[in-house]
Amino acid sequence: MKKTRGTKVLAMGMALAMAAMSLTGCGGGDKASGGGATTLSLGIWDEKQRPVMESMIQAYQKTHENVKIDIQLTPYKGGEYWTKLEAAATGGTAPDVFWVNVLHAEDYYDGGILLDLNDYLKKSDLDLDKNFPEALVKAYNFEDKQIAVPKDFDTNALWYNKDIFDKAGVAYPTDDWTFDDLAKACKELKAAGLDSGAYPFACPIDFQTWYYPTVYAGGGWILNADKTETGYTDPKTQEGIQCWIDLINEGYSPSAAALSETTADAMFEGGQLAMVLAGSYMTPEYTSNDAINTKINLVEFPEFNGKEPNIINGLGYAVFAGSKNKDAAADFALWLGSEEAMKIQGESGVVISARNDAQKYFADSNKNLNLAAYTNHSGEANPLPVCKSVAELYDIEAEALKAAYSGDKTLADVCSQLKTDADAILAKNNK
């Protein structure tokens, strides 16, 4: 995960860009020549979502005939999207409306890139507090300023291969499974004898899909409220991580090192895993794979410590603070959160629309799959812990945990040093 450039550098660049724009009138959008129409640009990073974004644009333009909207797609891979966005924002040419995620939102707010939408929201009937999950609304609110409209979200669920279960004579997972049920099924599958190279499950070093959900369900924590301290030494935090290491030690999962070479998703798609946890964003990938798409289904994340664990993460629509068409851009961004827009997005089945009354469309988009496993308890999911240092923290966390997952060090020893290193990063970046 690429670390964004420092906030102070970004803010300085934005200040210079704003000063230049006040003199030249340059901005993210422009007037179409001759016709007086407003031209807006929309920055996205996913080619799979281009068709549905085009459908949403067409719907908006039916009632806004004098607005032309062009999609600017930059791949996410390798940080290209963020690198280009920062360069464009510093030069005053960023898209008028663009996707932002919770990992970058605070940095970009501090850098002056994101327009405060409060005044526009007050005049609209969008009502974020009523119509969207609280965790997603708060993820894009800094100093009481709302800097994005929630677009979509992802949660996690347990996928399974019915053919492998049938061959082993083991009952399929169900929505009411507990972590103990998961471990029991792993034991039964292993005892039944799987094909060479196949495993009951996989436990990669993955925070969002694997161990953060169980950390929070078990009463642990990663980051305190004021983002000054980490919770790695809390025994409850360690319990939420150790449970996955235990499954590796039982031989139910490939080693973390092996999974760094061949991902859990690749193994599942290759028929080498009976079960895998996956974010909702993997649904299009799995369902388009002819090798497995008729053999798979999913259930809710198995209960842990009496709770259904999950982490909610998502995207938002932000408006470039340097756009010369701020009003038009804000109107479009707010419309993208409307019931009409969210219905179009949800029915595509590509992502889960963030709006509460539109989540059902994703769940209903494939009648052969229990996609409601992703949405049934979304309102209870914990938000992804984020701060301005988050990319750096994730990196050192993943690197440190390798020793615990491999058995080279105890988790307690790893977490003790990890807390020291992580808290030092927070102290440095909070100055």
Side-chain angles (χ1 to χ4, degrees):
M1 190 176 299
K2 180 181 181 293
K3 177 87 168 77
T4 60
R5 287 179 289 169
T7 302
K8 292 181 180 178
V9 174
L10 193 57
M12 185 180 296
M14 278 301 299
L16 292 172
M18 293 300 184
M21 286 160 55
S22 68
L23 297 174
T24 66
C26 295
D30 55 34
K31 297 289 185 181
S33 60
T38 300
T39 299
L40 300 176
S41 50
L42 172 64
I44 70 173
W45 64 65
D46 186 1
E47 184 64 44
K48 291 180 180 178
Q49 292 193 55
R50 184 197 289 270
V52 70
M53 297 310 303
E54 290 174 343
S55 296
M56 293 161 75
I57 288 171
Q58 290 170 8
Y60 180 77
Q61 289 176 327
K62 287 181 180 178
T63 55
H64 298 77
E65 296 178 356
N66 289 328
V67 178
K68 183 178 184 295
I69 302 168
D70 297 322
I71 291 177
Q72 295 181 1
L73 190 147
T74 305
Y76 190 95
K77 188 176 181 180
E80 183 179 352
Y81 178 86
W82 306 109
T83 300
K84 183 176 178 180
L85 179 61
E86 291 173 14
T90 302
T93 59
D96 298 283
V97 180
F98 55 87
W99 291 357
V100 65
N101 62 18
V102 297
L103 304 184
H104 293 80
E106 188 170 3
D107 249 349
Y108 284 11
Y109 167 73
D110 285 348
I113 288 179
L114 309 176
L115 181 69
D116 177 11
L117 299 175
N118 280 353
D119 288 343
Y120 298 99
L121 286 164
K122 289 174 184 177
K123 299 173 185 176
S124 79
D125 59 0
L126 191 57
D127 197 342
L128 296 185
D129 292 335
K130 175 184 176 181
N131 291 317
F132 293 84
E134 180 182 8
L136 296 183
V137 175
K138 287 186 174 180
Y140 298 111
N141 191 291
F142 303 101
E143 300 176 321
D144 293 324
K145 295 177 181 179
Q146 193 68 34
I147 49 79
V149 175
K151 173 191 179 295
D152 62 58
F153 69 83
D154 52 81
T155 52
N156 307 290
L158 181 71
W159 289 78
Y160 62 96
N161 185 311
K162 292 181 286 186
D163 279 6
I164 296 177
F165 273 83
D166 290 342
K167 186 176 180 180
V170 177
Y172 296 158
T174 60
D175 279 338
D176 61 357
W177 257 22
T178 65
F179 189 87
D180 288 341
D181 292 323
L182 171 65
K184 179 183 177 183
C186 286
K187 183 177 181 179
E188 292 174 351
L189 287 162
K190 184 181 178 183
L194 302 181
D195 292 342
S196 177
Y199 288 84
F201 191 55
C203 302
I205 304 175
D206 184 302
F207 61 92
Q208 184 174 332
T209 305
W210 270 264
Y211 61 84
Y212 278 6
T214 45
V215 163
Y216 283 99
W221 56 288
I222 299 296
L223 195 63
N224 66 353
D226 61 3
K227 304 176 183 181
T228 58
E229 183 183 3
T230 57
Y232 296 116
T233 54
D234 188 317
K236 293 180 179 178
T237 299
Q238 294 177 26
E239 181 184 359
I241 302 173
Q242 185 65 48
C243 62
W244 304 113
I245 298 174
D246 290 343
L247 294 185
I248 295 175
N249 292 339
E250 292 290 341
Y252 301 150
S253 163
S255 68
L259 289 167
S260 69
E261 297 292 330
T262 304
T263 67
D265 292 324
M267 289 191 69
F268 186 66
E269 291 188 75
Q272 296 172 283
L273 293 178
M275 297 176 286
V276 71
L277 288 168
S280 48
Y281 47 81
M282 288 304 299
T283 301
E285 174 79 17
Y286 291 168
T287 56
S288 64
N289 186 330
D290 292 338
I292 62 165
N293 57 15
T294 62
K295 306 174 183 178
I296 57 176
N297 209 336
L298 66 157
V299 296
E300 295 172 16
F301 200 121
E303 185 180 281
F304 185 84
N305 191 41
K307 299 178 183 178
E308 181 169 316
N310 230 313
I311 293 291
I312 190 169
N313 186 25
L315 305 187
Y317 295 109
V319 175
F320 177 41
S323 169
K324 77 170 186 179
N325 291 314
K326 290 184 182 68
D327 291 350
D331 183 80
F332 179 52
L334 267 60
W335 179 87
L336 287 167
S338 69
E339 185 175 356
E340 179 185 6
M342 289 278 164
K343 181 175 186 289
I344 295 170
Q345 177 181 250
E347 288 180 337
S348 72
V350 178
V351 293
I352 305 172
S353 287
R355 193 178 168 103
N356 295 329
D357 57 15
Q359 294 172 18
K360 61 186 177 184
Y361 298 117
F362 176 84
D364 293 342
S365 65
N366 189 322
K367 300 296 184 181
N368 296 319
L369 295 173
N370 179 31
L371 292 177
Y374 283 121
T375 59
N376 282 343
H377 301 283
S378 59
E380 304 162 24
N382 290 97
L384 191 68
V386 294
C387 63
K388 288 183 285 187
S389 313
V390 69
E392 200 171 354
L393 292 179
Y394 289 161
D395 285 345
I396 69 163
E397 178 183 287
E399 185 62 31
L401 287 176
K402 288 179 182 178
Y405 272 69
S406 67
D408 292 340
K409 294 182 181 179
T410 66
L411 182 62
D413 285 346
V414 167
C415 286
S416 178
Q417 185 61 51
L418 178 57
K419 177 176 174 60
T420 298
D421 296 341
D423 287 359
I425 290 173
L426 289 175
K428 178 185 69 176
N429 289 342
N430 283 331
K431 286 182 180 179

